[in-house]
Amino acid sequence: MRELNLKAMAKINLGLDVLRRREDGYHDLRMIMQTVCLYDQLTLRVTEEPGITVSTNLGSLPADERNLAYRAAQLLLEEFPSGHGLQITLKKHIPVAAGLAGGSSDAAAVLVGVNRLFGLGLTRGELMRRAVRIGADVPYCVMRGTALAEGIGEKLTRLPNAPACHVVLAKPPVHVSTAYVYGNLHADRLERHPDIDAQVQAIREGDRRRMAELMGNVLETVTVPAYPVIAEIREVMMRCGAMGAMMSGSGPTVFGLFDEQEKAEYAYRELRAGSLAKDVFLTRFFQTADSSSL
Ligand code: ATP
């Protein structure tokens, strides 16, 4: 039986700026994306019978076309019919609807896996061009590592690996819809924008402290007033010695960057012991040299 095990890793945004709202309702963004080593586990199995099945350890997740992993498999199997089907087993560890692109990353892993299992011979670039049909973050999740994302997130420029950091992720028990966040953002009235170009420069120079000092996410102007717990978690991280702490994507997960493992462990323990966050993880930046681990 042909089968493949894959890791679908989460992402955080080291910087997130919104330039403008477009005519089509989307926003033009500038973001610095970073993969972290928190991952969902997928097993893909080729079946004799055609058709796609998804089974997951998370009962609340749909197992049909609404699941992004399913959609990714469907996209390639329809374009390259083989007469066979695919069984997807998905073990979720990345919190859902958290600003960590868990669903997008599952989809990206399925694209990469189906390409390999069925011998489709598509290049990474060819997979990325198809990936955008599933979601704006999916091409980046195929690419992984450190990248500048522009447009709606699909125009990607690879950057050198960001300087190594220990990362604590903490998701408060609130539900923040991405549509609510963008719907309530006043892109034309933002008083401050993160300096994404300076942060790119800091990454190119391997300047970890400066990279962390330049962190900024304009979506916090919507989420922090609505959910003060986000700022409270940030404060705990900073008190525990984080170089920087901020919400990822449209939230509500907050991440802290640490230069030393001990400080990160301390923050992790503090947050685990408290009641601000339900899901707390200790991880690190993924460096693209380990990309064989997908
Ligand atoms: P992003 O950072 O890209 O906005 P997110 O981390 O906020 O993503 P996801 O966890 O990717 O959000 O999922 C958001 C929605 O997508 C959920 O409502 C969920 O039901 C749906 N979804 C579909 N497939 C998946 C999947 N494989 N894993 C997680 N969510 C999925």
Side-chain angles (χ1 to χ4, degrees):
M1 196 194 316
R2 284 186 294 158
E3 79 170 51
L4 206 54
N5 293 312
L6 300 145
K7 291 176 183 170
M9 299 205 194
K11 66 88 186 143
I12 55 175
N13 301 92
L14 299 176
L16 192 160
D17 194 15
V18 177
L19 305 184
R20 67 187 72 81
R21 189 171 192 277
R22 313 186 332 176
E23 294 287 308
D24 61 10
Y26 285 99
H27 288 80
D28 277 324
L29 310 171
R30 289 192 90 213
M31 308 185 280
I32 300 185
M33 320 288 280
Q34 175 63 48
T35 311
V36 294
C37 297
L38 168 69
Y39 53 83
D40 294 339
Q41 290 167 294
L42 291 101
T43 303
L44 307 187
R45 261 183 224 108
V46 180
T47 57
E48 287 304 320
E49 294 298 310
I52 300 161
T53 58
V54 177
S55 59
T56 150
N57 61 328
L58 208 63
S60 54
L61 263 193
D64 52 19
E65 298 85 12
R66 289 168 298 164
N67 196 304
L68 297 178
Y70 185 107
R71 298 245 305 277
Q74 190 177 37
L75 188 148
L76 288 185
L77 296 182
E78 279 182 6
E79 186 179 346
F80 301 96
S82 68
H84 295 287
L86 189 73
Q87 186 186 340
I88 303 172
T89 309
L90 171 59
K91 198 163 175 204
K92 289 292 297 181
H93 301 286
I94 305 171
V96 175
L100 299 173
S104 301
S105 191
D106 294 342
V110 170
L111 291 177
V112 170
V114 168
N115 186 40
R116 252 191 243 165
L117 267 180
F118 288 81
L120 304 183
L122 297 172
T123 63
R124 194 161 284 257
E126 286 166 338
L127 286 178
M128 287 166 63
R129 276 194 289 284
R130 286 164 174 81
V132 72
R133 287 189 237 148
I134 304 167
D137 280 348
V138 186
Y140 165 70
C141 292
V142 171
M143 179 189 242
R144 308 203 300 189
T146 310
L148 172 67
E150 296 171 289
I152 59 167
E154 86 297 6
K155 288 185 196 147
L156 295 164
T157 309
R158 173 163 306 282
L159 298 174
N161 280 325
C165 286
H166 301 279
V167 182
V168 175
L169 300 170
K171 177 179 178 275
V174 294
H175 179 74
V176 182
S177 111
T178 304
Y180 166 83
V181 176
Y182 281 100
N184 285 279
L185 179 77
H186 300 290
D188 47 345
R189 278 189 252 149
L190 291 168
E191 284 170 15
R192 290 177 53 206
H193 290 269
D195 191 341
I196 299 289
D197 290 326
Q199 202 178 30
V200 166
Q201 192 55 29
I203 289 169
R204 290 196 187 284
E205 288 167 5
D207 189 338
R208 184 164 58 180
R209 277 219 165 257
R210 180 127 181 85
M211 174 187 78
E213 275 165 19
L214 288 162
M215 280 164 47
N217 179 350
V218 295
L219 302 182
E220 285 188 347
T221 59
V222 178
T223 56
V224 168
Y227 305 101
V229 65
I230 291 171
E232 289 173 46
I233 295 174
R234 242 175 22 199
E235 279 154 28
V236 173
M237 297 216 186
M238 294 308 287
R239 214 171 47 236
C240 292
M243 293 180 292
M246 187 175 89
M247 184 181 80
S248 180
S250 55
T253 304
V254 177
F255 67 90
L257 300 186
F258 297 83
D259 54 357
E260 288 170 25
Q261 170 96 19
E262 294 73 47
K263 292 181 198 163
E265 280 173 3
Y266 178 52
Y268 171 77
R269 280 197 305 272
E270 285 288 298
L271 286 159
R272 290 282 287 213
S275 57
L276 298 177
K278 252 183 82 192
D279 301 299
V280 187
F281 303 93
L282 180 59
T283 183
R284 60 186 170 83
F285 283 180
F286 169 78
Q287 311 268 329
T288 45
D290 354 313
S291 66
S292 58
S293 60
L294 182 77

